[in-house]
Amino acid sequence: MNREGATTRPQRTVPGARSTLLYARPGIIVTVDRFTVGRTSYRILDLTHLRTTRGPHDRIAVRAVVTTGSMIGMVGLLLGFSGGLQRLTAEAYLILGAVLLLPAALALVGDRWRPPPYELWGWHRGAEVLLFSADDEQQFGQVTRALLRAREVNRYGDWVDPIASADPWRPDR
């Protein structure tokens, strides 16, 4: 009992339940039995067909590329219909070629500035759901590997890595 008179309850343990912690960061917990992200929790046994992918590109970058590309296309059409392309000098053609590369440059800068997130998708009780999404590649890899390890433990029972549990062979000298 503490000073206020409240007692602390011991943790309830279910016989046969495993609670080996594989990954834990604020808001993300992976144990042998459960995968918890925020307030959503999934049983490992209910997760199937796991796959990783990249999310959609940043909307601002996509809009900038589309707007720039359409404006350059309109300028090209206006020059083509007005006959202005035949009166341009070589330097003007070089500048026009450099301006045509602007949408590609914007796309590259946009992907560097806000890369698409990494996403982990899976099937949970017959429906495909987004299980986890992160901008950090290292964190995403750690969570994905922990989830795959949890699935392997559930698939093979209390499987222990044979290489880690083996004694190394030493020759007699």
Side-chain angles (χ1 to χ4, degrees):
M1 278 176 55
N2 59 16
R3 287 187 300 175
E4 287 83 25
T7 60
T8 57
R9 290 184 182 172
Q11 284 186 332
R12 292 190 309 164
T13 56
V14 178
R18 299 166 297 189
S19 62
T20 304
L21 186 64
L22 299 174
Y23 182 86
R25 292 289 182 272
I28 307 163
I29 298 173
V30 180
T31 65
V32 174
D33 294 321
R34 299 202 75 75
F35 175 55
T36 304
V37 178
R39 295 181 183 195
T40 309
S41 185
Y42 305 99
R43 282 186 46 209
I44 298 293
L45 293 174
D46 293 339
L47 298 176
T48 60
H49 300 89
L50 297 179
R51 67 179 174 92
T52 60
T53 185
R54 296 297 296 264
H57 293 278
D58 187 45
R59 290 182 295 189
I60 295 172
V62 170
R63 288 177 184 162
V65 169
V66 169
T67 303
T68 306
S70 62
M71 293 301 287
I72 290 172
M74 292 167 96
V75 168
L77 281 174
L78 287 174
L79 284 174
F81 283 126
S82 66
L85 287 175
Q86 296 155 351
R87 289 178 263 166
L88 292 178
T89 62
E91 294 86 17
Y93 274 112
L94 288 175
I95 292 172
L96 190 61
V99 169
L100 287 176
L101 293 177
L102 188 61
L106 280 174
L108 290 174
V109 169
D111 270 351
R112 291 270 183 186
W113 179 49
R114 288 283 308 198
Y118 298 91
E119 294 180 345
L120 176 66
W121 290 83
W123 285 80
H124 179 255
R125 296 184 181 174
E128 188 174 25
V129 293
L130 176 62
L131 299 171
F132 178 66
S133 177
D135 291 334
D136 184 16
E137 183 178 9
Q138 182 180 6
Q139 180 190 28
F140 180 78
Q142 291 171 350
V143 170
T144 303
R145 284 190 299 275
L147 187 59
L148 292 176
R149 262 185 271 130
R151 285 185 40 121
E152 286 177 0
V153 169
N154 280 302
R155 183 181 307 141
Y156 298 122
D158 288 330
W159 178 72
V160 178
D161 188 11
I163 295 174
S165 63
D167 290 330
W169 177 79
R170 302 214 189 278
D172 295 329
R173 294 187 187 211

